[in-house]
Amino acid sequence: LVKNSMMENFDTLNTQGIKRDEALNLAIESERTRDFTPTIGKVSVGLSSGTSGHRGLFIISEKERMEWAGAVLAKLLPKGHILHHKVAFFLRADNNLYETVNSSVLTFAFFDLLKPMEEHIERLKSFPPTLLVGPPSVLKEIARAQESGELNIHPEKIISVAEVLNASDERYIK
């Protein structure tokens, strides 16, 4: 209900003066072309994954991207081991927001869910992540590849996003 209200009142709620239709058109075009670098001025635009059943539109300034990256790194990086991580991030859409976490201490790699899983498995072989982030359905496929011996990675942390994680899937992924 709140999300619907926010989307309906997007033009008056955002402080950047960006119109909902302009931002929505850019976000849809970015997903269509798979080029997630365009911005409106210095503002990144994107669509949420729609876990709740309704995809939301978001805009985020350069300053907010940096704050988000700091908050995410503080929460995600294993305690006592914060340097030289490799993050494999599986989502249907990339965004300048996510790319903000790339730094000298962290390498971020976006894995496009629209590409075949076989391609991802091959790519993971040359990019063994210390942090693995993705929807449970993808994490299960990675676990299957690991179990069959097709893949041999050892992430320190696995984070489920964008879908509901049920207890049986969580046990299998672990």
Side-chain angles (χ1 to χ4, degrees), residues 30 34-39 44 95-96:
S30 291
R34 311 312 290 161
D35 176 5
F36 300 100
T37 58
T39 60
S44 294
N95 190 277
N96 294 323

Side-chain angles (χ1 to χ4, degrees), residues 3 8 15 29 39 73 88 111 124:
K3 190 176 194 178
E8 288 172 12
T15 60
E29 180 65 9
T39 60
L73 292 175
F111 288 73
L124 283 170

Side-chain angles (χ1 to χ4, degrees), residues 16 39-44 59-69 96-97 100:
Q16 299 295 314
T39 60
I40 299 174
K42 291 186 177 183
V43 176
S44 294
I59 59 173
I60 187 161
S61 71
E62 198 168 17
K63 179 180 183 277
E64 291 166 328
R65 285 198 323 262
M66 295 300 166
E67 290 170 352
W68 178 87
N96 294 323
L97 171 64
T100 303

Side-chain angles (χ1 to χ4, degrees), residues 5-165:
S5 177
M6 290 183 77
M7 290 300 101
E8 288 172 12
N9 296 292
F10 184 90
D11 290 357
T12 55
L13 289 174
N14 84 72
T15 60
Q16 299 295 314
I18 295 171
K19 299 295 181 195
R20 178 184 177 274
D21 289 345
E22 178 186 12
L24 187 58
N25 289 337
L26 178 60
I28 290 169
E29 180 65 9
S30 291
E31 290 201 8
R32 186 188 69 73
T33 63
R34 311 312 290 161
D35 176 5
F36 300 100
T37 58
T39 60
I40 299 174
K42 291 186 177 183
V43 176
S44 294
V45 176
L47 293 170
S48 68
S49 60
T51 307
S52 68
H54 303 285
R55 293 174 68 186
L57 176 66
F58 68 86
I59 59 173
I60 187 161
S61 71
E62 198 168 17
K63 179 180 183 277
E64 291 166 328
R65 285 198 323 262
M66 295 300 166
E67 290 170 352
W68 178 87
V72 165
L73 292 175
K75 285 184 175 233
L76 296 184
L77 295 179
K79 302 290 186 238
H81 177 207
I82 61 171
L83 300 176
H84 310 294
H85 281 283
K86 294 168 84 175
V87 180
F89 193 65
F90 288 82
L91 276 181
R92 67 167 173 69
D94 197 4
N95 190 277
N96 294 323
L97 171 64
Y98 311 136
E99 298 293 337
T100 303
V101 298
N102 257 325
S103 69
S104 60
V105 299
L106 187 125
T107 305
F108 172 88
F110 170 69
F111 288 73
D112 190 339
L113 291 182
L114 296 186
K115 294 186 176 181
M117 195 62 197
E118 297 79 27
E119 187 177 314
H120 295 317
I121 298 300
E122 287 305 311
R123 188 168 168 214
L124 283 170
K125 290 175 184 178
S126 61
F127 185 85
T130 56
L131 299 170
L132 180 59
V133 182
S137 58
V138 171
L139 297 175
K140 280 175 46 179
E141 291 298 317
I142 294 168
R144 282 188 191 109
Q146 185 85 356
E147 187 175 52
S148 73
E150 182 183 358
L151 185 62
N152 186 20
I153 60 172
H154 303 284
E156 293 178 36
K157 199 170 199 181
I158 299 173
I159 300 153
S160 173
V161 298
E163 296 172 357
V164 175
L165 175 64

